[in-house]
Amino acid sequence: MKKLFGLLSIVLLITVLAACGNGDAESSSGEGESASGDSGETKTIKAGIGLNSDHPQYKGLLKFKEIVEEKTDGAIKVDTYHSGQLGDDRSMTEALQLGTQEVVVPSTAPLANFVPEFSVFDIPFLFPNEQVADEVLDGEVGQELLGKLEEQNLVGLAYWENGFRDLTNSERAVASVDDFDGLKIRTMENDLHLDAFKALGANPTPMAFTELFTAMQQGTVDGQENPYATIYLQKFYEVQDHVSNTHHIYSPFVFLMSKSFYDGLTEDQQKIVKDAAVEAGKHERKLNREANEKYLKQLQEEGMEYTEISDEARQEMVDAVAPVIEDYKSKIGEETVDKVYKAIEDAQK
Ligand code: KDG
């Protein structure tokens, strides 16, 4: 009996020592983690956007959450926030730099305040259609631009789509350059947008998206520009009477992650979040295109007057903003501008 007790004690001691050994290896280096990063610690991603929960952008974010939580077996949890609950594009991007938020999906326009080369996508009438935009953004030059975000403590994981922007206002039907005269237009916080609208004769004001609805409601601005999906889903038709298919800029979204958070992930987890951002982006682009197709009609059903821009009128707009583009080439960086123009050409061959 005494012998048996002694043997059991030894077995127990060996088991306890072995367990301690494992624990040390995991907590000190994280090496030997499973593919899902199973160190026992759950990492949480706080992901925010400015648009509301009906918008395809939010559906994309939910897709990202679904993929990441499933592929990491819950080792990474994603909490999603819409409608600017965490702030606007700019302040959320700053929160990523500080490490107090992990994900934001801003338009590229405010990102140009962090990496000036992103303003290349603010060149008016740059992309002829969404397919060419996809090829350029997902191709070499698009990915090279994402790489520049690292210097700003940001990691660009994928491009999503905001889309072609169209003008709305509460004053008059806009059919030609003359009709822009003096219109108080809210723009995103981007110098090229501001100067392009000035060149068209408007009176632009930069403003965060979170303040836009109230500004239109109170008449601080006469109008704004955004894709049909946003105009409809944010109910801008309640405070705007006219919409024109100006299609003046194609806005990409960038799926951004905080660099300090990304660097703290295991290699497997980095691959999972990268692939998930790309996959969710494909889903978002598809939903967004469907939305933009159907919502122009619904805006008219809600009482907005639609004005179609003729080819001649669009050419007048192209001519009016041409000097601004020339002026910005050096500010953006000639090399980036040339590469993007070349990629657009190649995508159309
Ligand atoms: O979530 C994205 C929005 O915050 C913003 O980018 C929408 O296009 C937009 C705008 O006009 O500010």
Side-chain angles (χ1 to χ4, degrees):
M1 188 66 188
K2 226 179 175 184
K3 239 183 177 179
L4 183 67
F5 185 72
L7 200 66
L8 277 175
S9 306
I10 291 169
V11 170
L12 192 70
L13 192 67
I14 291 172
T15 314
V16 168
L17 285 177
C20 286
N22 273 344
D24 275 344
E26 265 183 23
S27 58
S28 57
S29 67
E31 268 169 34
E33 290 182 359
S34 75
S36 54
D38 189 9
S39 63
E41 164 211 6
T42 305
K43 292 169 180 160
T44 304
I45 291 177
K46 241 191 301 160
I49 57 165
L51 297 168
N52 67 23
S53 58
D54 292 328
H55 198 281
Q57 192 190 27
Y58 190 66
K59 311 236 159 91
L61 210 54
L62 291 179
K63 186 68 159 177
F64 173 79
K65 172 184 168 73
E66 182 191 311
I67 301 172
V68 168
E69 291 184 350
E70 194 205 307
K71 292 238 164 104
T72 64
D73 271 334
I76 301 182
K77 190 170 162 275
V78 183
D79 291 339
T80 57
Y81 299 85
H82 53 83
S83 308
Q85 288 164 317
L86 298 181
D88 55 59
D89 281 357
R90 192 175 178 143
S91 61
M92 287 193 280
T93 306
E94 284 163 358
L96 258 62
Q97 292 181 307
L98 294 171
T100 53
Q101 184 179 329
E102 289 70 36
V103 163
V104 62
V105 194
S107 298
T108 48
L111 258 195
N113 296 304
F114 298 82
V115 176
E117 286 92 335
F118 269 101
S119 229
V120 69
F121 301 126
D122 299 308
I123 292 179
F125 308 105
L126 181 72
F127 289 118
N129 56 51
E130 288 97 346
Q131 288 66 35
V132 168
D134 286 354
E135 274 204 46
V136 175
L137 296 164
D138 300 341
E140 207 180 304
V141 62
Q143 300 306 302
E144 208 176 291
L145 282 168
L146 291 186
K148 291 188 188 292
L149 289 159
E150 298 231 354
E151 295 153 24
Q152 288 292 324
N153 264 334
L154 301 164
V155 182
L157 294 181
Y159 288 100
W160 289 15
E161 174 176 281
N162 192 351
F164 281 102
R165 306 181 75 87
D166 294 296
L167 184 78
T168 69
N169 81 95
S170 54
E171 288 293 302
R172 63 183 91 107
V174 172
S176 67
V177 171
D178 289 346
D179 299 323
F180 279 87
D181 188 33
L183 276 182
K184 286 182 279 168
I185 303 294
R186 173 270 177 176
T187 69
M188 289 192 279
E189 295 170 282
N190 177 287
D191 290 343
L192 180 38
H193 283 222
L194 269 178
D195 287 337
F197 275 96
K198 280 184 196 155
L200 287 166
N203 181 7
T205 315
M207 189 183 287
F209 186 76
T210 38
E211 292 164 35
L212 177 55
F213 191 91
T214 313
M216 289 189 291
Q217 197 170 37
Q218 297 180 344
T220 319
V221 293
D222 302 319
Q224 64 84 48
E225 38 84 63
N226 252 298
Y228 299 138
T230 300
I231 301 169
Y232 183 79
L233 294 168
Q234 298 284 149
K235 295 193 169 29
F236 288 174
Y237 53 81
E238 288 180 357
V239 288
Q240 297 280 274
D241 301 321
H242 308 277
V243 55
S244 308
N245 67 333
T246 47
H247 268 45
H248 50 280
I249 284 167
Y250 174 88
S251 262
F253 283 137
V254 178
F255 189 100
L256 282 183
M257 186 168 273
S258 144
K259 187 166 176 339
S260 55
F261 179 80
Y262 183 81
D263 289 346
L265 298 177
T266 65
E267 264 182 42
D268 288 327
Q269 289 175 335
Q270 289 179 345
K271 183 169 172 6
I272 289 172
V273 295
K274 163 89 187 160
D275 291 351
V278 172
E279 198 52 41
K282 284 185 195 154
H283 180 66
E284 188 265 355
R285 277 176 175 168
K286 183 173 170 284
L287 294 182
N288 200 52
R289 282 163 202 178
E290 287 165 8
N292 278 324
E293 266 207 44
K294 81 173 178 212
Y295 287 131
L296 174 59
K297 194 159 161 272
Q298 297 204 26
L299 286 173
Q300 291 167 271
E301 280 166 17
E302 291 295 339
M304 287 188 90
E305 183 197 359
Y306 171 60
T307 308
E308 179 125 6
I309 304 291
S310 68
D311 290 348
E312 299 79 56
R314 186 165 284 103
Q315 190 53 49
E316 264 176 49
M317 293 177 195
V318 171
D319 295 343
V321 297
V324 180
I325 299 174
E326 238 359 86
D327 183 36
Y328 270 83
K329 275 186 185 163
S330 58
K331 293 182 190 160
I332 299 168
E334 305 265 359
E335 205 192 319
T336 304
V337 176
D338 290 346
K339 275 189 189 168
V340 168
Y341 277 131
K342 169 88 176 39
I344 292 173
E345 220 180 280
D346 290 349
Q348 292 178 97
K349 273 180 191 160

